[in-house]
Amino acid sequence: MKQKTIQKNVDLVGIGLHKGVPVRLKLEPAPENSGLVFTRSDLGVSFKLTPECVIDTTMATVVGKDNARISTIEHFLSAVYAYGIDNLHISVDNEEMPIMDGSSISFCMLLDEAGIVPQNEPKKVMKIKETIEVKEGDKFVRITPSDKSLFDFEIDFKHPAIAKQAYQFYFSTTAYKEEIAKARTFGFLHEVQYLRSKGLALGGSLANAIVLDETKILNPEGLRYKEEFVRHKILDAIGDMALLGVPLFGSYVSYAGSHKLNHLLTKQILGNPNAYEIVTLNEEDTQSLAIEKIFALDSCKD
């Protein structure tokens, strides 16, 4: 199987979640083995995406270099990962990715518009060989060896509209668009009010998040999935794992995981060479991992 990029330039304009200002996002094809490269076009600063670029995980995954930062990249990266894109130039003219509707489906539609094309160099994947776990109290994220790509997540919120939710997601592009991509981010009304007092969440609204008061969901349309809250956590986890730079073959399991724990997991994986193997895919590898089916090009379309 070959590496992939997009066929043509595409762009869109959306609102940043925290600053509430318009952001233009532009995507361009990139050559083989170049990876995902971010540019702050307003500052003229570019950098390749790696776990070392992460500078904050408090409210979202934030990457940066020098004085240039780009916040809330996880929803976009989740879609890029799902489409099997290896090489891409990503340009924004402000310090946040546009939030769109709070899920990744708008980014999937943008990638559909761009088209996905194979390149000349073989694709690389990461096979997990040893179990690695990161814990914080009773919260944890764990990766274990597997020939499949599994995301297994559980949450437990002391709120009647969420409570305990669990979801197992066996990754493929088709399944991602059907089961994960439309799951929106969520927040609590009292948190939104506090964040706005600190100059954050200024772009947040019922149009780009599920908002809950003390007892119920405030969005009049309700939920898109029965387990939309935990499915969004999987969406986030896929985006955070995209910082590894290659598709991941292993079982990701989490209880109440976070951007912080995901970031620490990526660093621990890369910091332990015995824990993984980078496989350059020849025909035999492609068949054994069923990767052509997982990242099938025709599954990039509705």
Side-chain angles (χ1 to χ4, degrees), residues 125-157:
V125 301
M126 175 182 286
K127 289 190 67 174
I128 295 299
K129 298 170 64 178
E130 295 182 1
T131 296
I132 294 181
E133 182 179 76
V134 180
K135 299 185 70 174
E136 185 178 61
D138 62 345
K139 303 175 182 179
F140 70 86
V141 294
R142 179 192 307 131
I143 192 78
T144 59
S146 175
D147 283 339
K148 300 184 183 300
S149 184
L150 169 67
F151 290 85
D152 185 344
F153 214 113
E154 182 179 350
I155 57 175
D156 189 3
F157 281 82

Side-chain angles (χ1 to χ4, degrees), residues 88-158:
L88 189 64
H89 286 154
I90 306 136
S91 176
V92 294
D93 62 359
N94 215 305
E95 65 178 63
E96 292 183 89
M97 297 292 287
I99 190 62
M100 308 311 291
D101 72 344
S103 75
S104 66
I105 193 63
S106 294
F107 299 124
C108 292
M109 295 169 65
L110 185 66
L111 295 173
D112 283 334
E113 179 186 348
I116 314 300
V117 293
Q119 298 179 283
N120 294 322
E121 293 293 316
K123 194 177 188 74
K124 298 177 181 179
V125 301
M126 175 182 286
K127 289 190 67 174
I128 295 299
K129 298 170 64 178
E130 295 182 1
T131 296
I132 294 181
E133 182 179 76
V134 180
K135 299 185 70 174
E136 185 178 61
D138 62 345
K139 303 175 182 179
F140 70 86
V141 294
R142 179 192 307 131
I143 192 78
T144 59
S146 175
D147 283 339
K148 300 184 183 300
S149 184
L150 169 67
F151 290 85
D152 185 344
F153 214 113
E154 182 179 350
I155 57 175
D156 189 3
F157 281 82
K158 307 305 179 187

